[in-house]
Amino acid sequence: MIQLLLSSLLTIVSLNCENLFDCSHDSLKNDLEWTPDGKNHWTSTRYWNKLNNIGREILACGEMGTSFGETHFNKAEENSLMDSDNTPSWQLPALVALCEVENDSVLYDLTCRSILRNAKYEYIMTNSQDPRGIDVALLYSPFSFRLLNHYALRVEPLKDMHPTRDILYASGLIISGDTLHVFVVHAPSRSGGEHATQPHRMLIANKLTEAIDSLYKIQPDAKVVVCGDFNDYNNNKSIRHIEEASLIDISKSAKGHNGAKGTYKFQGEWGSLDHMFVSPSMRQELSECFIFDAPFLLEEDEVYGGVKPVRNFLGPRYLRGFSDHLPLVARFKI
């Protein structure tokens, strides 16, 4: 197995999938736009194209070196990558944190029915009170991460905010025999204005740091990874607060190899709303952290210049793309 041959390296990916919805209406959620008759005309064809795009993106995140992403996998090549016993330039990511995934059906289709199926990922996810029905999830390779425990941290909203996503917590044994603690976060958006919504993201930051503090009290040298979409940049209050909880933002200076200067581009400006934090004990084992901006995930930015992510929708226009966010990738020597 590739995982065993390269067992000294642990690869973790964090990705906002940009509205990974199925095509069915959930009567308890505001998801009508993601149905065949909705404004996005979200048909099964578009859904499966999206699933396979996300699967392809995750597989490609396992590429090593600075020339990643130049290969456009076809089905035979994807199977070859998964089945080969001698692929030193590629390793299946051990953990993949996902934001903006709708439900268990989507995760089942992604892990068991899309081009990602041969990876044999297992998954856990939240079932939060978000009114649109989007949640966070963690894919894990059972060859690299043996799940011990998991649960959702419910975040009770302030009186002026909509219900938001739970924080997902998981612990598991990695190949070194150590226990790794993982938190996946998708903080409230800036819709309504950055200043007005800042308390909403601080609520998430406080809930997260309380959980981290409790963990450190039991195990001061705990190996911890926190990742996801925080909807804030490095200089914002919520990010600084998380760093004050003995966590290191290893993605602070992360860049891509093909022009990306952040995980997200808005009106021509690159920035990183996505972050990956680790405990000091995990920081010692960090090999690299970068933005995965493979050429097939990028297109020319005709308005502002340079490149931008190939997203799935731009307003009402369907683009057959991947996501408006690029993945963060971190590798650890364990």
Side-chain angles (χ1 to χ4, degrees):
M1 293 296 295
I2 297 171
Q3 286 297 124
L4 296 179
L5 288 171
L6 297 179
S7 60
S8 63
L9 203 62
L10 182 80
T11 300
I12 300 177
V13 175
S14 180
L15 172 64
N16 182 317
C17 297
E18 188 197 359
N19 297 313
L20 186 50
F21 282 80
D22 63 20
C23 305
S24 302
H25 173 49
D26 183 340
S27 61
L28 300 178
K29 302 295 182 180
N30 181 20
D31 65 350
L32 283 172
E33 62 185 315
W34 299 102
T35 59
D37 295 326
K39 70 176 186 178
N40 291 324
H41 306 291
W42 195 238
T43 62
S44 61
T45 299
R46 292 184 173 187
Y47 170 62
W48 281 102
N49 182 71
K50 173 79 171 184
L51 283 173
N52 284 318
N53 275 353
I54 295 297
R56 175 186 171 197
E57 186 172 4
I58 291 170
L59 286 175
C61 284
E63 294 182 56
M64 307 291 186
T66 58
S67 60
F68 55 63
E70 294 179 356
T71 300
H72 289 241
F73 301 135
N74 58 37
K75 183 172 289 188
E77 289 167 334
E78 285 150 8
N79 289 335
S80 175
L81 280 175
M82 299 307 306
D83 295 336
S84 173
D85 286 328
N86 185 23
T87 314
S89 63
W90 180 86
Q91 180 190 15
L92 181 71
L95 297 166
V96 184
L98 299 177
C99 297
E100 292 197 18
V101 291
E102 185 184 15
N103 53 34
D104 182 81
S105 296
V106 169
L107 268 294
Y108 177 81
D109 286 343
L110 177 65
T111 57
C112 298
R113 303 179 68 194
S114 79
I115 64 171
L116 198 60
R117 62 189 179 276
N118 286 337
K120 305 301 181 184
Y121 277 120
E122 297 179 16
Y123 65 87
I124 51 176
M125 71 179 304
T126 57
N127 184 19
S128 66
Q129 297 176 319
D130 179 87
R132 295 178 61 223
I134 58 175
D135 279 287
V136 298
L138 182 69
L139 311 187
Y140 62 95
S141 170
F143 305 108
S144 303
F145 183 85
R146 183 159 67 85
L147 186 67
L148 297 175
N149 192 19
H150 69 94
Y151 51 81
L153 298 172
R154 178 57 50 90
V155 180
E156 295 300 332
L158 303 173
K159 67 176 183 178
D160 64 337
M161 69 180 285
H162 295 297
T164 190
R165 279 75 60 175
D166 297 343
I167 298 170
L168 178 62
Y169 165 76
S171 64
L173 291 178
I174 55 178
I175 199 71
S176 64
D178 295 313
T179 298
L180 179 63
H181 304 269
V182 183
F183 295 83
V184 185
V185 176
H186 186 190
S189 76
R190 297 180 164 211
S191 179
E194 176 191 346
H195 180 73
T197 58
Q198 182 184 85
H200 305 170
R201 291 182 293 283
M202 280 302 301
L203 182 67
I204 300 295
N206 285 328
K207 185 75 172 183
L208 173 66
T209 54
E210 287 172 6
I212 299 292
D213 288 342
S214 298
L215 181 58
Y216 280 158
K217 287 178 181 177
I218 299 171
Q219 187 180 355
D221 61 345
K223 294 184 182 296
V224 181
V225 174
V226 180
C227 52
D229 180 354
F230 292 78
N231 271 307
D232 265 337
Y233 299 105
N234 290 326
N235 60 344
N236 290 130
K237 185 177 179 181
S238 69
I239 303 302
R240 297 198 308 269
H241 181 72
I242 293 169
E243 289 181 300
E244 290 168 359
S246 296
L247 288 170
I248 303 157
D249 188 351
I250 59 173
S251 58
K252 182 175 290 187
S253 58
K255 296 290 186 294
H257 296 113
N258 294 293
K261 300 175 182 178
T263 60
Y264 185 78
K265 194 175 188 183
F266 179 69
Q267 296 183 349
E269 295 292 328
W270 285 103
S272 288
L273 299 171
D274 309 276
H275 301 268
M276 192 176 296
F277 303 88
V278 299
S279 59
S281 60
M282 203 64 182
R283 174 65 180 84
Q284 295 174 3
E285 299 176 351
L286 178 67
S287 175
E288 60 179 339
C289 181
F290 59 92
I291 296 164
F292 186 74
D293 63 343
F296 71 87
L297 296 175
L298 302 172
E299 64 181 353
E300 182 183 355
D301 189 337
E302 297 177 354
V303 177
Y304 297 103
V307 293
K308 63 181 181 178
V310 184
R311 56 191 300 169
N312 204 34
F313 274 89
L314 181 59
R317 274 203 304 141
Y318 175 59
L319 304 178
R320 285 183 62 89
F322 296 81
S323 173
D324 54 351
H325 290 243
L326 293 170
L328 278 172
V329 178
R331 304 195 203 283
F332 301 89
K333 295 178 180 178
I334 56 173

Coordinates of all heavy atoms in Angstrom, one line a residue, residues 151 169 179-183 208-226 241-249 277-283:
Y151 N -17.3 14.2 17.9 CA -18.5 14.8 18.3 C -18.6 16.2 17.7 O -17.5 16.8 17.3 CB -18.8 14.8 19.8 CG -17.7 15.3 20.6 CD1 -17.5 16.7 20.8 CD2 -16.8 14.4 21.3 CE1 -16.5 17.2 21.6 CE2 -15.8 14.9 22.1 CZ -15.6 16.3 22.2 OH -14.6 16.8 23.0
Y169 N -15.2 17.9 16.0 CA -14.0 17.4 16.7 C -13.8 15.9 16.4 O -14.8 15.2 16.5 CB -14.1 17.6 18.2 CG -13.1 16.8 19.0 CD1 -11.8 17.2 19.1 CD2 -13.4 15.7 19.6 CE1 -10.8 16.5 19.7 CE2 -12.5 14.9 20.3 CZ -11.2 15.3 20.4 OH -10.2 14.6 21.1
T179 N -1.9 10.2 19.5 CA -3.2 10.6 19.2 C -3.2 12.0 18.6 O -2.6 12.9 19.1 CB -4.0 10.6 20.5 OG1 -4.1 9.3 21.1 CG2 -5.5 11.1 20.3
L180 N -3.9 12.1 17.5 CA -4.1 13.4 16.9 C -5.5 13.9 17.1 O -6.5 13.2 16.9 CB -3.8 13.3 15.4 CG -3.9 14.6 14.5 CD1 -2.9 15.6 15.0 CD2 -3.8 14.3 13.0
H181 N -5.6 15.2 17.5 CA -6.9 15.8 17.7 C -7.1 16.8 16.6 O -6.3 17.7 16.3 CB -6.9 16.6 19.1 CG -6.5 15.7 20.3 ND1 -7.5 15.0 21.0 CD2 -5.3 15.4 20.8 CE1 -6.9 14.3 21.9 NE2 -5.6 14.5 21.8
V182 N -8.3 16.7 16.0 CA -8.6 17.5 14.8 C -9.9 18.3 15.0 O -10.9 17.7 15.5 CB -8.7 16.7 13.5 CG1 -9.0 17.5 12.3 CG2 -7.5 15.8 13.3
F183 N -9.9 19.6 14.7 CA -11.1 20.4 14.8 C -11.3 21.0 13.4 O -10.4 21.5 12.8 CB -11.0 21.6 15.8 CG -10.8 21.1 17.2 CD1 -9.6 20.7 17.7 CD2 -11.9 21.1 18.0 CE1 -9.4 20.4 19.0 CE2 -11.8 20.7 19.4 CZ -10.6 20.4 19.9
L208 N -14.1 27.5 20.2 CA -12.9 26.7 19.8 C -11.8 26.7 20.9 O -11.3 25.7 21.3 CB -12.4 27.1 18.5 CG -11.1 26.5 18.0 CD1 -11.3 25.0 17.7 CD2 -10.6 27.2 16.7
T209 N -11.5 27.9 21.3 CA -10.4 28.0 22.2 C -10.7 27.5 23.6 O -9.8 27.0 24.3 CB -9.9 29.5 22.4 OG1 -11.1 30.3 22.7 CG2 -9.3 30.0 21.1
E210 N -12.0 27.5 24.0 CA -12.4 26.8 25.2 C -12.1 25.3 25.1 O -11.6 24.7 26.1 CB -13.9 27.1 25.5 CG -14.2 28.5 25.9 CD -15.7 28.8 26.0 OE1 -16.5 27.8 25.8 OE2 -16.1 29.9 26.3
A211 N -12.5 24.8 24.0 CA -12.2 23.3 23.8 C -10.7 23.0 23.8 O -10.3 22.0 24.4 CB -12.9 22.9 22.5
I212 N -9.9 23.9 23.2 CA -8.5 23.7 23.1 C -7.9 23.8 24.5 O -7.0 23.0 24.9 CB -7.8 24.7 22.2 CG1 -8.4 24.5 20.7 CG2 -6.3 24.5 22.2 CD1 -8.0 23.3 20.0
D213 N -8.3 24.8 25.3 CA -7.8 24.9 26.6 C -8.1 23.7 27.5 O -7.3 23.3 28.3 CB -8.4 26.2 27.3 CG -7.9 27.5 26.7 OD1 -6.8 27.4 26.1 OD2 -8.6 28.5 26.9
S214 N -9.3 23.2 27.4 CA -9.7 22.0 28.1 C -8.8 20.8 27.7 O -8.4 20.0 28.6 CB -11.2 21.6 27.9 OG -12.0 22.7 28.3
L215 N -8.5 20.7 26.5 CA -7.6 19.6 26.0 C -6.2 19.7 26.5 O -5.6 18.8 27.0 CB -7.6 19.6 24.4 CG -6.8 18.5 23.7 CD1 -7.3 17.1 24.2 CD2 -6.9 18.7 22.2
Y216 N -5.7 21.0 26.5 CA -4.3 21.2 27.0 C -4.2 20.9 28.5 O -3.2 20.5 29.0 CB -3.9 22.6 26.7 CG -3.4 22.9 25.3 CD1 -3.5 24.2 24.8 CD2 -3.0 21.9 24.5 CE1 -3.0 24.5 23.5 CE2 -2.5 22.2 23.2 CZ -2.6 23.4 22.7 OH -2.1 23.7 21.4
K217 N -5.3 21.2 29.2 CA -5.2 20.9 30.7 C -5.1 19.4 31.0 O -4.4 19.0 31.9 CB -6.5 21.4 31.3 CG -6.6 22.9 31.4 CD -7.9 23.4 32.1 CE -7.9 24.9 32.1 NZ -9.2 25.4 32.7
I218 N -5.6 18.6 30.1 CA -5.5 17.1 30.3 C -4.2 16.6 29.7 O -3.5 15.8 30.3 CB -6.7 16.4 29.6 CG1 -8.0 16.9 30.2 CG2 -6.5 14.9 29.7 CD1 -9.2 16.4 29.5
Q219 N -3.8 17.2 28.5 CA -2.6 16.8 27.8 C -1.9 18.0 27.3 O -2.1 18.4 26.1 CB -3.0 15.8 26.7 CG -1.8 15.2 26.0 CD -2.3 14.3 24.8 OE1 -3.5 14.0 24.6 NE2 -1.3 13.7 24.1
P220 N -1.0 18.6 28.0 CA -0.3 19.8 27.6 C 0.5 19.7 26.3 O 0.6 20.7 25.6 CB 0.7 20.1 28.8 CG 0.1 19.4 30.0 CD -0.6 18.1 29.4
D221 N 0.9 18.6 26.0 CA 1.7 18.4 24.7 C 0.9 17.7 23.6 O 1.4 17.1 22.7 CB 3.0 17.6 24.9 CG 2.7 16.2 25.4 OD1 1.5 15.9 25.9 OD2 3.6 15.3 25.4
A222 N -0.5 17.9 23.7 CA -1.4 17.3 22.7 C -1.0 17.7 21.3 O -0.6 18.9 21.0 CB -2.8 17.7 23.0
K223 N -1.2 16.8 20.4 CA -1.0 17.1 19.0 C -2.4 17.5 18.4 O -3.3 16.7 18.4 CB -0.5 15.8 18.2 CG 0.9 15.4 18.6 CD 1.4 14.3 17.8 CE 2.8 13.8 18.2 NZ 3.8 14.9 18.0
V224 N -2.5 18.7 18.0 CA -3.7 19.3 17.6 C -3.6 20.0 16.2 O -2.6 20.7 15.9 CB -4.2 20.4 18.6 CG1 -5.5 21.0 18.2 CG2 -4.3 19.8 20.0
V225 N -4.6 19.8 15.4 CA -4.8 20.5 14.1 C -6.1 21.1 14.0 O -7.1 20.4 14.3 CB -4.5 19.5 12.9 CG1 -4.8 20.3 11.6 CG2 -3.1 19.0 12.9
V226 N -6.2 22.4 13.7 CA -7.5 23.1 13.5 C -7.5 23.7 12.1 O -6.5 24.4 11.7 CB -7.6 24.2 14.6 CG1 -9.0 24.9 14.4 CG2 -7.5 23.7 16.0
H241 N -7.1 35.9 18.2 CA -7.6 35.2 19.5 C -7.3 33.7 19.5 O -6.9 33.2 20.5 CB -9.1 35.4 19.6 CG -9.7 34.8 20.9 ND1 -9.5 35.3 22.1 CD2 -10.5 33.7 21.1 CE1 -10.1 34.6 23.0 NE2 -10.7 33.6 22.4
I242 N -7.4 33.1 18.3 CA -7.1 31.6 18.2 C -5.6 31.4 18.4 O -5.2 30.5 19.1 CB -7.6 31.1 16.9 CG1 -9.1 31.1 16.8 CG2 -7.1 29.6 16.7 CD1 -9.7 30.8 15.5
E243 N -4.8 32.3 17.9 CA -3.3 32.2 18.0 C -2.9 32.4 19.5 O -1.9 31.8 19.9 CB -2.6 33.2 17.1 CG -2.7 32.9 15.7 CD -2.0 33.9 14.8 OE1 -2.4 35.1 14.9 OE2 -1.1 33.5 14.1
E244 N -3.7 33.2 20.2 CA -3.4 33.4 21.6 C -3.6 32.1 22.5 O -3.2 32.1 23.6 CB -4.2 34.6 22.2 CG -3.7 35.9 21.6 CD -4.7 37.0 21.9 OE1 -5.7 36.7 22.5 OE2 -4.4 38.2 21.5
A245 N -4.3 31.2 21.9 CA -4.6 29.9 22.7 C -3.5 28.9 22.4 O -3.9 27.7 22.3 CB -6.0 29.4 22.3
S246 N -2.3 29.3 22.3 CA -1.2 28.4 22.1 C -1.4 27.5 20.8 O -1.1 26.3 20.7 CB -0.9 27.4 23.3 OG -0.6 28.2 24.4
L247 N -1.8 28.2 19.7 CA -2.0 27.6 18.4 C -1.2 28.4 17.4 O -1.2 29.6 17.5 CB -3.4 27.5 18.0 CG -4.3 26.4 18.7 CD1 -5.7 26.6 18.4 CD2 -3.8 25.0 18.4
I248 N -0.6 27.8 16.5 CA 0.3 28.4 15.5 C -0.4 28.3 14.1 O -0.8 27.2 13.7 CB 1.7 27.8 15.4 CG1 2.3 27.8 16.8 CG2 2.6 28.5 14.4 CD1 3.4 26.8 17.0
D249 N -0.6 29.5 13.5 CA -1.2 29.5 12.1 C -0.1 29.2 11.1 O 0.6 30.1 10.6 CB -1.8 30.9 11.8 CG -2.6 30.9 10.5 OD1 -2.5 29.9 9.8 OD2 -3.3 31.9 10.3
F277 N -4.2 25.8 11.8 CA -3.5 26.0 13.1 C -3.0 24.7 13.6 O -3.7 23.7 13.5 CB -4.4 26.7 14.1 CG -5.0 28.0 13.7 CD1 -6.2 28.0 13.0 CD2 -4.4 29.2 14.0 CE1 -6.8 29.2 12.6 CE2 -5.0 30.4 13.6 CZ -6.2 30.4 12.9
V278 N -1.9 24.7 14.3 CA -1.4 23.5 15.0 C -0.9 23.8 16.4 O -0.5 25.0 16.6 CB -0.3 22.8 14.2 CG1 -0.9 22.3 12.8 CG2 0.9 23.6 14.0
S279 N -0.8 22.8 17.2 CA -0.2 23.0 18.5 C 1.3 23.0 18.4 O 1.9 22.5 17.3 CB -0.6 21.8 19.4 OG -0.2 20.6 18.8
P280 N 2.0 23.5 19.4 CA 3.5 23.5 19.3 C 4.1 22.1 19.0 O 5.1 22.0 18.2 CB 3.9 24.0 20.6 CG 2.8 24.9 21.1 CD 1.6 24.2 20.6
S281 N 3.6 21.1 19.6 CA 4.1 19.7 19.4 C 3.9 19.3 17.9 O 4.8 18.5 17.4 CB 3.4 18.7 20.3 OG 2.0 18.7 20.1
M282 N 2.9 19.7 17.3 CA 2.6 19.4 15.9 C 3.5 20.3 15.0 O 3.9 19.9 13.9 CB 1.2 19.5 15.6 CG 0.7 18.7 14.4 SD 0.8 16.9 14.6 CE 0.3 16.4 13.0
R283 N 3.7 21.5 15.4 CA 4.5 22.4 14.6 C 5.9 21.9 14.4 O 6.5 22.1 13.3 CB 4.6 23.8 15.3 CG 5.5 24.8 14.6 CD 5.0 25.2 13.2 NE 5.9 26.1 12.5 CZ 7.0 25.8 11.9 NH1 7.4 24.5 11.8 NH2 7.7 26.7 11.3

